[in-house]
Amino acid sequence: MVQLVESVGEQINNISIGSYGTFIILKDGTALANGYNKNGCLGAGDRNSYLSGYSPVYVSNVNQITNCQETTFFLQNDGTVHGIGRRDRGRLGSRVDKDIPNGIPTVITDFPEPIRKIKAGYHSDIALSVSGEVYCWGENRFYALGIGSDNELLKLGPTKLPFTRTVKDIATTTETFVAVDENGQCYGWGRNENGELFGILNTWIDTPSPIPYPAPIMKIEAAANKVVALDIHGSVHVSGLFLREHVCNTLPLQRPIRDVQCGYQHVVMIDEYGSVYMFGAGLCGCMGTQSGRYHLDSPVLVERIPKISQIFAGGHQSWLFGDHQVLVAGENNNGELGVHAESKKKGERDGTNGFISSCIPFEMNLRPAREVNQQVRLSAERNHAAS
């Protein structure tokens, strides 16, 4: 893994890894993006180009970011949602101003209340409000909107799903959606061709259906074709497709897990003592294993690292936060990990090889980034008010 410079690591509040880029959210709400800005989907200008290092996105006071393919949502601390990327099929709301310049996220005004969490899928999306209501919108492909098979194929604005209890967590694969209510009961709907929904045999689920986990769920994670659930006893349940193998089991762990994160093909877990475990496939070195083991069919303890306090994972990347340091491993095509990316031929991926020691900071000045962020936001607001 690669160690990032201490001063930068101490300012990071959250990491989000999407289809086309990696986002870093600082503790003051400044958001930075790095990767392929296809159709302006990273929200950092320079449409259809690879960003040169980490660049500020044009939304301030950011709390969460979610990106899937060419669509990205930025959730602010006050519950306001900004969207950018593809504007067709209602992905950015029903009243998107088409005159808003590309590269600048626009406010989605369709939500009837502030949003607490949002997740982007391939053709449809899901949001959780501060009051615990669930909203879906976009295409109803594979019944991903959870509104039944006989309903509309397209929803231009958020549609509330009729949960009887308050929902506390949501997640989505590419076309499978899951939600956890206040009692720890998990529900799933949408595509289930790869067994994404634990213990459910039906190929497609058109409305939210209970998932028969053996214990109440406290956190749910999902990525491409897979769902990972952490229950109240610290057990981790995985279901879906891992390296062309269908999996539906509870991972054999010696200690209770307190947090779990899910990448495209790997799962990162941390126990109460700060030890980290990996499961799945280590594409681009994302599991940081030096032993050369590419596919882990059971959890493996990550050795030779300090005590970890926080974990992040997504795509083919893993980020581990320890005392005054950040360890990273995985895909690094555009320097997303904060270290130099090697030049590769077309179609090849650059990644880390096990645990390597480095101390290369992000090449940017945070103060100008915040100033640019504020100026662009004010300009976008003026243009929107004048239209």
Side-chain angles (χ1 to χ4, degrees):
M1 284 194 170
V2 180
Q3 180 178 332
L4 298 184
V5 68
E6 175 181 329
S7 60
V8 173
E10 290 183 339
Q11 299 181 64
I12 296 174
N13 182 53
N14 201 351
I15 305 289
S16 177
I17 302 101
S19 302
Y20 288 131
T22 300
F23 300 88
I24 293 176
I25 303 174
L26 303 180
K27 292 180 179 178
D28 68 351
T30 298
L32 314 170
N34 191 356
Y36 181 30
N37 199 30
K38 186 175 183 180
N39 286 328
C41 68
L42 301 186
D46 298 326
R47 186 170 180 262
N48 288 325
S49 67
Y50 282 92
L51 300 180
S52 178
Y54 274 92
S55 302
V57 304
Y58 296 154
V59 181
S60 60
N61 200 29
V62 177
N63 179 266
Q64 296 174 30
I65 300 174
T66 177
N67 162 256
C68 186
Q69 299 289 27
E70 299 170 37
T71 302
T72 304
F73 297 105
F74 303 88
L75 177 61
Q76 294 181 297
N77 287 315
D78 64 358
T80 301
V81 176
H82 297 245
I84 195 167
R86 297 195 60 169
R87 298 167 182 260
D88 59 347
R89 301 185 181 277
R91 295 297 300 280
L92 301 185
S94 61
R95 297 185 292 275
V96 172
D97 185 350
K98 295 183 180 181
D99 295 328
I100 294 177
N102 288 316
I104 299 179
T106 182
V107 176
I108 299 178
T109 59
D110 298 272
F111 296 108
E113 58 181 319
I115 298 302
R116 181 161 63 90
K117 189 173 184 178
I118 188 168
K119 288 291 183 180
Y122 266 17
H123 304 287
S124 46
D125 312 289
I126 184 171
L128 175 64
S129 74
V130 293
S131 68
E133 300 288 356
V134 176
Y135 298 88
C136 286
W137 65 99
E139 283 192 36
N140 199 27
R141 185 179 303 193
F142 301 110
Y143 311 139
L145 299 184
I147 56 177
S149 58
D150 297 327
N151 284 281
E152 300 174 67
L153 296 178
L154 184 67
K155 286 289 186 181
L156 298 181
T159 299
K160 186 170 73 172
L161 299 187
F163 284 94
T164 58
R165 293 189 178 94
T166 300
V167 173
K168 65 178 183 179
D169 199 11
I170 56 172
T172 177
T173 69
T174 52
E175 289 155 328
T176 308
F177 292 79
V178 287
V180 182
D181 71 17
E182 57 189 347
N183 290 343
Q185 175 63 59
C186 191
Y187 298 84
W189 64 96
R191 187 175 185 176
N192 193 38
E193 292 180 321
N194 298 298
E196 291 91 341
L197 302 178
F198 191 97
I200 295 181
L201 300 180
N202 293 2
T203 302
W204 299 334
I205 312 297
D206 62 358
T207 56
S209 299
I211 301 177
Y213 286 113
I217 300 302
M218 59 182 292
K219 182 179 182 181
I220 197 78
E221 286 285 318
N225 303 321
K226 60 189 59 62
V227 175
V228 180
L230 175 64
D231 72 25
I232 59 173
H233 305 301
S235 296
V236 177
H237 314 280
V238 296
S239 53
L241 194 64
F242 286 85
L243 274 186
R244 301 180 181 178
E245 295 182 7
H246 290 88
V247 175
C248 182
N249 60 23
T250 300
L251 296 181
L253 294 157
Q254 295 181 346
R255 294 175 178 172
I257 297 301
R258 67 174 175 85
D259 193 18
V260 61
Q261 294 280 319
C262 186
Y264 285 163
Q265 289 289 341
H266 74 296
V267 178
V268 184
M269 297 159 283
I270 183 173
D271 66 22
E272 57 185 335
Y273 298 102
S275 297
V276 175
Y277 305 83
M278 298 285 184
F279 168 80
L283 280 78
C284 304
C286 63
M287 294 194 295
T289 54
Q290 292 178 314
S291 62
R293 296 183 62 184
Y294 173 76
H295 185 188
L296 303 176
D297 54 11
S298 61
V300 171
L301 174 68
V302 180
E303 300 177 337
R304 296 186 295 278
I305 63 172
K307 181 179 179 181
I308 300 301
S309 59
Q310 197 171 15
I311 57 174
F312 299 97
H316 302 306
Q317 295 180 21
S318 300
W319 296 63
L320 312 179
F321 281 50
D323 293 334
H324 308 297
Q325 62 181 326
V326 178
L327 303 177
V328 291
E331 190 169 9
N332 193 42
N333 291 333
N334 202 47
E336 296 95 329
L337 301 183
V339 297
H340 176 67
E342 298 292 335
S343 176
K344 292 284 182 179
K345 296 180 181 179
K346 185 176 180 180
E348 292 183 335
R349 287 173 169 172
D350 179 44
T352 59
N353 181 19
F355 297 88
I356 53 180
S357 179
S358 180
C359 195
I360 303 177
F362 297 117
E363 297 178 356
M364 62 165 295
N365 187 310
L366 298 182
R367 183 174 180 180
R370 298 186 185 110
E371 292 174 352
V372 169
N373 195 351
Q374 178 75 359
Q375 291 171 3
V376 173
R377 182 182 64 82
L378 293 175
S379 176
E381 289 176 352
R382 287 195 295 269
N383 291 338
H384 186 65
S387 61

